[in-house]
Amino acid sequence: MSGVELRGFGWRHAGRLRWAVRGVDLRIEAGERVLLLGASGAGKSTLLAALAGLLPEDSGEQEGTVEVDGLDPRKARERVGIVFQDPETQLVMARCGDDVAFGLENRGVPADEIWPRVDEALRRVGFPYHRDRPTAALSGGEQQRLALAGALALRPTLLLLDEPTANLDPAGATLVRRAVADALDADTTLILVEHRVAEALPLVDRVVVLEPGGGVRADGPPAAVFAAHGDALAAEGVWVPGRTVPPRRATAPAGEPLITADRLGLPPRLAPTDLAVRAGEALAVLGPNGAGKSTLALLLGGLLRPGTGTATATAALAGRDAGTPPHRWRAPALARRIGSVFQDPEHQFVTGTVFDELALGPRRTGRSEATVQTTVDALLDRLRLAKLAGANPYTLSGGEARRLSVATALATAPRLLICDEPTFGQDRRTWLELVDLFAELRDAGHGVVTVTHDPDFVAALADRTVTLERP
Amino acid sequence: MDNTANRWRTIDIVIASVLGVAFGVIFWAWGLLWNGPADAIPLPGRAVLYGVWLVPAVLGALIIRKPGAAFFTLTFAALVSVALGSSWGWTLVVQGPLEAAAAELAFAAFGYRSYRLPVALLAATLAGLAASIYDVFIWYPGTAWGSFRLPYILITAVSSLVVAGLGSVALTRALAGTGVLDRFPAGRERAAI
Amino acid sequence: MISIEPVAAPGAPLARRNPVAKLAAALVFSFILIATLDPVAPALAIAVELAVLPLFGIRYRVLARRAWPLLASAAGILVTLVLFAADRSGRVLLDAGPLLVTSGVLVTALGLVLRLLAVALPGMIVFATTDPTDLADALIQNAKAPARFALGALAAFRLVPLLGQEWQMISMARRARGVDAGRNPLGRLRLFVSTAFALLVGAIRRGTRLAVAMDARGFDASVPRTVARRQRFNTADGLLVVGAAVLAGAALTVSVLLGTFRPLIG
Ligand SMILES: Nc1ncnc2c1ncn2[C@@H]1O[C@H](COP(=O)(O)OP(=O)(O)OP(=O)(O)O)[C@@H](O)[C@H]1O
Ligand SMILES: Nc1ncnc2c1ncn2[C@@H]1O[C@H](COP(=O)(O)OP(=O)(O)OP(=O)(O)O)[C@@H](O)[C@H]1O
Ligand SMILES: [Mg+2]
Ligand SMILES: [Mg+2]
């Protein structure tokens, strides 16, 4: 049983001028189930870290107080369990059982009690494998469940979950949510951060919305909060349930093929796949975690050498190079024809500033400096990045980094655009912007391929879908 | 300095280890790229490589700024490259700590209070001297002092001074600019944004 | 691709020994051999190493695949001695201007090359037969290594294959942006440096998140840690270390008896 009390709480990360979160007054009683909302960058993750006692004094500046059961959270850590968004970085050990045992060892649990508690935690989250299984051999959803088991094994009375399903396919996300629902004791307090509100609502009985500038924007039972503030919240980027997006259908039928895949595959990552992408159409690639969607995107993008079959570009895309497979093209030629957006935006950054990042592609493909300047300015405006032109790409927030990575692929105006999960972890505002952008490109005769787990995005944009199965 | 300032936080331990691991991987990729030839040519290819090899010691100390940082980072990097398979194999298990201890000496001499350019250069040079003197006695016995040993030691020391010393200082600045060092003193010296 | 999995058959009689014992045995064996410059002792040591290989469950083919980078270093030693040897006594084999190759030079070079292999193989055997988790456990429990450092290093080591994949991703991202080195060696170097920097940034970012995740599960707690996996150091493990010392000593003794022994110093 743990209660939480924040009075005028604020935190500013070292090296920042702006407060990440500020002026929060909030009381959560023991046993409550709370959904914490707010636009991207509103400080949700920072607040959870504060409650878990994971903001060391030397890493920033604090204002006001935060207490868990009347204690400083740094002294109440053994009452709190937290699961972060990215499962890969929260697994510590190489074998699943050892990973769950890690926390128990740290807390000094007697050796003979450790393994029974490990097995119990794994059973509660419905983990399907033996505890000797290597953590590296788990899919994203399985890793997420293991992380949850690692937190539950410590028997926390306050459980904090930060977007625990962001990287998962719909089936995996459902499994994790069900694991949370089943594993919670009646007296465990839960604070959940999740952009996709509709899916999270069955787990919670209270909604708290953080205001980006500081303070709490709205607080109360979900129905009451969304009835009173629904429109305003939606405009700010919160995914308010029940608000649909008008679909953006193609304005003209698809044109000539740009690239065709003939039994294209890379064992064991991707089974042989046939498909064709046409000009003026948006194709969505779906499938469970590990089906090989990202691999397919890289193969189509001419970045990986195929293991089986071929990718063939047509003359419409590649002119005289149509005879050679895309993975053998020189890089500047590739960048002119096919734009690729990677699953992890940080992999994509090459230079020191946002401006140079956008200018790189056009410069490498031999555009004049004046053209480069106008192209970059237009993109900066379009994606609301103009103020950040001088910033280092690695310092951007998740949403901004994603927008920049899409913009870099657009800068060379490629005829074919391939995007891997362009909408994950995005608030509603960025999401709508991306849908508009892709729809415009398609209507201007570009081919658009998106790999995605996001059914709303498919419904809003895709003309055609391809679903991959696990190889 | 009091004890709490010298105690390694979890993040210090993990980042020092991660630097070791990252350099292990970088050396591995370097090996793929140049495929041994630079490693096999005694002069001056080896010597230039040498500076790169000593970077973790100086870089670790500049970032972590705790007693033992230079020693731990380079020793672990040596262990990782042994585990991944390096062309000197297991012998690095002794040579790594030796060079690391030499670099550590420089920071200890300043009481772990100064992490500025001159100290970094001194640490790099000491590490380079330790490395090349070890080599000359253990791996190139029977070579002439005039035509091989002295030039070898000298070139290695200069290369470490430049690559490991200047290089680490520049690398620390570049890393601080990306914001990943915000939880370290080195990252806090940059202007807030 | 980088792999950090052990490659040996796990049930082999010596592979099952305590990791600290294997480590100690390899160190003892290697460093007794460093003391000599003659070709005989290392040749004997290599024979011993190859003979015990099956007891560690390693196949010769696997060892050969792991050991080939050593040949680069061996070649380096050979070239250095041919070019810079101080003592050029013995029969002249080749006299081409500044290049004077004598039998004395070749014997020294042969000794050094054999010694490199003899010293390097034991380490290869240890890492090929030891799971990193077991090694960290044993270092903490049997060698009194500080637990926070051993576990922190272990957690970071788990990132090795991930970083290998990340290297590929970064290289592909660069290509997608129109950046490639072409045939210019300077361009290749520049590309290598910028890829390495991106890898380092990503690794530190990951490390920071990992450290937070470890603290969230009480890694920094003040209570004494317990251990879930016991590592024992028993008589057989002790015998392994003693056996390594005896075998290396025997190789040196044979060399002394044959009159070929040449100490490193003196
Ligand atoms: N370690 C850090 N150092 C410096 N600034 C940070 C750090 N972590 C977060 N910030 C900044 O603090 C602000 C709040 O970030 P936080 O991650 O809490 O947002 P969030 O509400 O979780 O957003 P999202 O929905 O995108 O995850 C952002 O402006 C972010 O750039
Ligand atoms: N670089 C790599 N080396 C080896 N195997 C890989 C590599 N990248 C991915 N895999 C494996 O290949 C399979 C397909 O991976 P891929 O990333 O293409 O799947 P995905 O459909 O994009 O999954 P997700 O929805 O989780 O992004 C997975 O089992 C994955 O573990
Ligand atoms: Mg967040
Ligand atoms: Mg993917």
Side-chain angles (χ1 to χ4, degrees):
Chain A
M1 294 284 261
S2 278
V4 169
E5 170 126 40
L6 297 125
R7 263 168 305 200
F9 174 74
W11 182 267
R12 173 158 68 181
H13 290 283
R16 293 292 163 115
L17 292 174
R18 270 207 336 231
W19 291 78
V21 42
R22 195 169 203 189
V24 178
D25 289 294
L26 187 62
R27 210 188 142 78
I28 295 173
E29 305 298 335
E32 271 193 298
R33 309 278 157 91
V34 178
L35 176 62
L36 189 61
L37 293 178
S40 173
K44 305 178 294 291
S45 301
T46 306
L47 190 64
L48 286 198
L51 289 174
L54 297 175
L55 291 179
E57 276 145 12
D58 60 359
S59 76
E61 185 185 338
Q62 181 173 332
E63 223 180 43
T65 60
V66 48
E67 283 175 355
V68 173
D69 294 337
L71 293 169
D72 182 334
R74 294 182 193 109
K75 304 212 167 63
R77 270 201 204 145
E78 66 280 6
R79 302 171 196 224
V80 185
I82 183 165
V83 177
F84 303 94
Q85 177 181 336
D86 178 9
E88 218 165 45
T89 45
Q90 54 192 315
L91 300 182
V92 179
M93 304 293 285
R95 287 181 294 243
C96 296
D98 296 351
D99 191 74
V100 179
F102 175 75
L104 297 168
E105 292 175 304
N106 291 334
R107 296 272 158 86
V109 172
D112 50 347
E113 284 176 33
I114 290 181
W115 292 110
R117 274 175 74 168
V118 168
D119 290 336
E120 191 219 36
L122 288 174
R123 191 183 45 69
R124 281 172 78 188
V125 300
F127 190 73
Y129 304 112
H130 189 258
R131 60 190 192 208
D132 273 348
R133 190 172 177 87
T135 44
L138 299 179
S139 76
E142 290 160 357
Q143 287 182 347
Q144 202 62 267
R145 274 200 269 178
L146 182 64
L148 185 61
L152 289 174
L154 301 171
R155 301 192 178 144
T157 47
L158 172 61
L159 186 62
L160 308 171
L161 305 177
D162 193 355
E163 301 194 43
T165 59
N167 278 310
L168 304 185
D169 58 48
T174 308
L175 281 175
V176 168
R177 275 192 294 270
R178 195 175 303 147
V180 172
D182 293 347
L184 278 182
D185 295 324
D187 55 359
T188 309
T189 314
L190 172 72
I191 303 180
L192 172 68
V193 172
E194 184 74 83
H195 276 295
R196 297 308 171 92
V197 175
E199 286 89 358
L201 279 183
L203 286 174
V204 299
D205 47 31
R206 177 175 167 194
V207 172
V208 173
V209 186
L210 285 188
E211 176 81 40
V216 172
R217 174 67 187 275
D219 184 357
V225 166
F226 293 127
H229 306 279
D231 292 329
L233 291 177
E236 277 164 27
V238 174
W239 286 94
V240 176
R243 245 153 254 260
T244 51
V245 193
R248 298 281 310 251
R249 292 278 147 256
T251 51
E256 76 254 81
L258 296 175
I259 195 165
T260 54
D262 184 18
R263 303 199 50 70
L264 184 64
L266 185 61
R269 291 162 63 176
L270 173 68
T273 307
D274 294 313
L275 63 83
V277 187
R278 294 169 171 279
E281 84 168 341
L283 174 70
V285 178
L286 313 176
N289 285 119
K293 303 180 297 299
S294 299
T295 307
L296 179 64
L298 296 172
L299 289 168
L300 283 178
L303 300 171
L304 270 180
R305 179 203 299 273
T308 66
T310 52
T312 316
T314 61
L317 179 66
R320 279 181 299 122
D321 267 349
T324 22
H327 75 270
R328 306 248 310 270
W329 298 348
R330 290 292 311 274
L334 181 72
R336 249 192 324 266
R337 295 167 188 153
I338 306 180
S340 286
V341 176
F342 284 60
Q343 192 160 358
D344 182 348
E346 278 178 12
H347 283 148
Q348 212 158 343
F349 302 142
V350 183
T351 65
T353 70
V354 169
F355 184 92
D356 287 344
E357 198 60 35
L358 287 169
L360 176 73
R363 281 185 187 144
R364 298 291 299 200
T365 51
R367 309 274 156 85
S368 76
E369 201 51 33
T371 326
V372 171
Q373 189 74 40
T374 42
T375 316
V376 172
D377 286 343
L379 279 169
L380 284 173
D381 274 344
R382 178 75 212 261
L383 287 168
R384 287 192 283 120
L385 293 169
K387 280 209 195 82
L388 295 164
N392 189 308
Y394 289 108
T395 63
L396 300 182
S397 85
E400 290 155 353
R402 182 81 276 181
R403 274 180 278 154
L404 177 61
S405 65
V406 174
T408 57
L410 297 178
T412 49
R415 192 76 197 281
L416 177 63
L417 187 66
I418 301 172
C419 298
D420 201 347
E421 315 261 10
T423 58
F424 96 88
Q426 297 301 310
D427 63 20
R428 187 168 185 273
R429 195 152 137 212
T430 311
W431 192 94
L432 287 170
E433 233 160 64
L434 287 170
V435 170
D436 279 344
L437 192 73
F438 290 137
E440 267 170 39
L441 281 171
R442 171 191 57 197
D443 296 340
H446 296 254
V448 178
V449 180
T450 52
V451 169
T452 186
H453 289 307
D454 181 350
D456 297 329
F457 186 69
V458 175
L461 183 77
D463 305 311
R464 211 152 55 80
T465 63
V466 172
T467 305
L468 302 184
E469 301 299 333
R470 253 179 236 200
Chain B
M1 260 200 189
D2 62 87
N3 242 344
T4 49
N6 279 346
R7 179 185 149 83
W8 287 54
R9 303 168 296 165
T10 303
I11 189 168
D12 294 327
I13 297 175
V14 174
I15 295 300
S17 311
V18 163
L19 288 177
V21 165
F23 272 90
V25 174
I26 289 170
F27 293 143
W28 170 81
W30 177 280
L32 282 193
L33 188 69
W34 302 102
N35 227 345
D39 206 29
I41 304 162
L43 280 173
R46 276 280 291 155
V48 172
L49 246 187
Y50 241 123
V52 180
W53 168 241
L54 299 170
V55 168
V58 185
L59 186 67
L62 292 184
I63 292 179
I64 312 286
R65 299 197 182 176
K66 298 271 155 82
F71 184 77
F72 179 74
T73 311
L74 182 53
T75 303
F76 187 56
L79 277 174
V80 171
S81 72
V82 170
L84 296 182
S86 90
S87 51
W88 290 92
W90 175 241
T91 62
L92 297 175
V93 166
V94 173
Q95 192 166 5
L98 208 73
E99 300 157 355
E104 186 72 42
L105 216 61
F107 296 103
F110 286 83
Y112 297 108
R113 260 184 285 260
S114 173
Y115 292 89
R116 297 149 86 83
L117 183 69
V119 188
L121 296 184
L122 178 66
T125 313
L126 287 183
L129 286 176
S132 49
I133 292 173
Y134 174 91
D135 270 357
V136 159
F137 279 101
I138 301 292
W139 291 118
Y140 306 118
T143 49
W145 276 99
S147 65
F148 180 76
R149 292 187 170 191
L150 285 180
Y152 181 82
I153 292 174
L154 209 72
I155 292 180
T156 308
V158 171
S159 134
S160 343
L161 178 98
V162 174
V163 180
L166 282 180
S168 298
V169 172
L171 192 53
T172 311
R173 289 219 185 106
L175 286 172
T178 67
V180 288
L181 299 185
D182 282 357
R183 288 196 56 196
F184 296 91
R188 259 171 250 148
E189 281 160 14
R190 120 189 117 100
I193 46 169
Chain C
M1 201 65 270
I2 312 186
S3 160
I4 53 172
E5 304 284 309
V7 294
L14 290 185
R16 275 191 291 116
R17 296 270 56 86
N18 184 298
V20 167
K22 285 189 278 184
L23 206 61
L27 277 174
V28 166
F29 193 84
S30 296
F31 291 104
I32 290 180
L33 286 170
I34 285 241
T36 176
L37 297 177
D38 72 300
V40 175
L44 286 173
I46 293 174
V48 170
E49 286 157 6
L50 293 180
V52 298
L53 216 49
L55 295 179
F56 283 97
I58 306 178
R59 274 172 305 162
Y60 291 102
R61 207 154 30 86
V62 174
L63 185 79
R65 217 176 316 124
R66 289 212 160 194
W68 73 261
L70 285 174
L71 297 182
S73 300
I77 290 178
L78 195 71
V79 173
T80 309
L81 272 175
V82 167
L83 292 178
F84 301 109
D87 169 21
R88 293 183 192 260
S89 57
R91 208 153 52 83
V92 174
L93 301 174
L94 177 73
D95 186 357
L99 210 63
L100 179 69
V101 182
T102 66
S103 59
V105 170
L106 277 194
V107 169
T108 312
L110 180 69
L112 287 173
V113 166
L114 286 178
R115 195 182 60 156
L116 172 70
L117 295 176
V119 167
L121 288 181
M124 230 162 261
I125 295 175
V126 173
F127 281 98
T129 59
T130 306
D131 180 85
T133 308
D134 295 341
L135 178 58
D137 283 341
L139 282 173
I140 295 166
Q141 294 171 36
N142 308 122
K144 299 264 179 297
R148 282 186 349 124
F149 283 84
L151 288 168
L154 176 67
F157 191 63
R158 209 178 63 83
L159 299 181
V160 168
L162 297 179
L163 291 185
Q165 284 174 16
E166 209 142 294
W167 182 276
Q168 284 188 328
M169 289 306 287
I170 296 168
S171 306
M172 286 192 285
R174 260 137 233 259
R175 181 169 148 74
R177 304 287 305 287
V179 182
D180 65 5
R183 278 177 256 293
N184 174 1
L186 211 70
R188 279 178 72 179
L189 185 66
R190 264 222 312 273
L191 191 64
F192 180 89
V193 170
S194 87
T195 308
F197 182 72
L199 184 82
L200 201 58
V201 171
I204 295 178
R205 232 172 254 286
R206 254 176 203 284
T208 308
R209 288 182 207 144
L210 180 63
V212 170
M214 289 169 77
D215 275 343
R217 286 200 272 157
F219 187 61
D220 214 7
S222 44
V223 289
R225 267 185 125 251
T226 48
V227 294
R229 300 168 301 277
R230 265 251 149 261
Q231 287 285 348
R232 286 171 217 290
F233 192 101
N234 53 31
T235 324
D237 298 312
L239 284 178
L240 177 64
V241 183
V242 174
V246 167
L247 282 173
L252 279 196
T253 313
V254 171
S255 162
V256 170
L257 293 178
L258 290 177
T260 52
F261 180 70
R262 276 177 61 201
L264 179 64
I265 318 262

